[in-house]
Amino acid sequence: MTVPNTPAEPDPLSTAPGELISQPRSSTVLTRLWAELRIALPIGFGCLLLGLLMGALWYWLAPEVPLVVQGNSVLYGDPEGEQSAGAVATFVLLGLAFGLVTALVAFLLTRRRGGGIAMAVALGLGGVGGSLIAVWLGEKLGPTSNIIAHARQVGDGHTFYENLTLPAHGALLAWPIAAMVLLLALTATFGRREEQPEPQWAGPLPPAADGSDNPWAPPGGSPPADGSQAPSHTETGR
């Protein structure tokens, strides 16, 4: 009677659920999140402070819009002038410059430690906040927004300047967009790469069925080199 061959050992790749390596706990995630926040919060606060510098530069560099008092009317001194558009363009260029500088500095300061997603969020929100502060300071430093009172103060035939405003609210996004684009480019090119962990097993692999060092060897041994069929293990009754 022929007895079929059966595997001498179970599949070495099969492991019990309890033998799997445990995943990181929630405390590890919270610790890493707190470490990222400790890096991101100073970056966001620094962007807010830089908004004051941007507002001062905007007031200094933006072109002024002249107004002329004629009787009971206030007219533009240069009707075909582009001073209003120039003020918006100046704000956009300053926002792009501040966004590139803050992203570069934040990347260089956190390249070794890694700021994670918290640094990107801090740069984005800090850029928006810094732009709002710049608009507020530029309007405060500029002429008063009460044109009628200002016209009465200067008198008929005199020239004064319109208050500094930012009618294009989309210009507020110049800073955060520039920061995000440069941060993404720097991270993809020069960012720190996390090493892939090596596979770990709960224990050593079981020995092979034929006694060799290869645990995936077939139980009956390797086939002959000439390609002939290996004899099967049989038991013959007399």
Side-chain angles (χ1 to χ4, degrees), residues 84-137:
S84 298
V88 176
T90 301
F91 188 90
V92 172
L93 293 177
L94 288 174
L96 293 176
F98 274 74
L100 296 177
V101 171
T102 52
L104 179 60
V105 172
F107 177 78
L108 293 178
L109 292 178
T110 61
R111 182 181 179 183
R112 296 182 180 275
R113 294 176 294 176
I117 189 64
M119 183 182 68
V121 174
L123 277 177
L125 297 179
V128 175
S131 299
L132 292 174
I133 292 177
V135 173
W136 170 79
L137 182 61

Side-chain angles (χ1 to χ4, degrees), residues 48-237:
L48 298 180
L49 292 180
L50 288 177
L52 298 175
L53 176 61
M54 180 178 171
L57 290 176
W58 182 45
Y59 166 71
W60 181 44
L61 298 175
E64 297 177 327
V65 180
L67 300 176
V68 180
V69 181
Q70 291 185 359
N72 295 328
S73 302
V74 178
L75 305 177
Y76 282 102
D78 186 8
E80 297 181 358
E82 299 294 337
Q83 290 86 353
S84 298
V88 176
T90 301
F91 188 90
V92 172
L93 293 177
L94 288 174
L96 293 176
F98 274 74
L100 296 177
V101 171
T102 52
L104 179 60
V105 172
F107 177 78
L108 293 178
L109 292 178
T110 61
R111 182 181 179 183
R112 296 182 180 275
R113 294 176 294 176
I117 189 64
M119 183 182 68
V121 174
L123 277 177
L125 297 179
V128 175
S131 299
L132 292 174
I133 292 177
V135 173
W136 170 79
L137 182 61
E139 293 178 353
K140 289 295 182 181
L141 294 177
T144 177
S145 58
N146 192 345
I147 297 178
I148 298 177
H150 199 178
R152 292 176 179 175
Q153 181 181 1
V154 298
D156 188 14
H158 291 80
T159 301
F160 65 100
Y161 296 98
E162 187 180 17
N163 60 308
L164 187 61
T165 57
L166 186 69
H169 299 294
L172 297 172
L173 301 179
W175 183 339
I177 290 177
M180 290 296 99
V181 171
L182 182 59
L183 179 64
L184 180 61
L186 292 175
T187 303
T189 307
F190 306 104
R192 186 182 62 177
R193 301 292 189 272
E194 294 185 0
E195 299 181 358
Q196 296 293 335
E198 298 181 358
Q200 300 180 5
W201 303 89
L205 294 175
D210 56 355
S212 63
D213 295 335
N214 184 10
W216 287 278
S222 59
D226 57 358
S228 60
Q229 185 70 23
S232 59
H233 298 280
T234 59
E235 295 181 0
T236 306

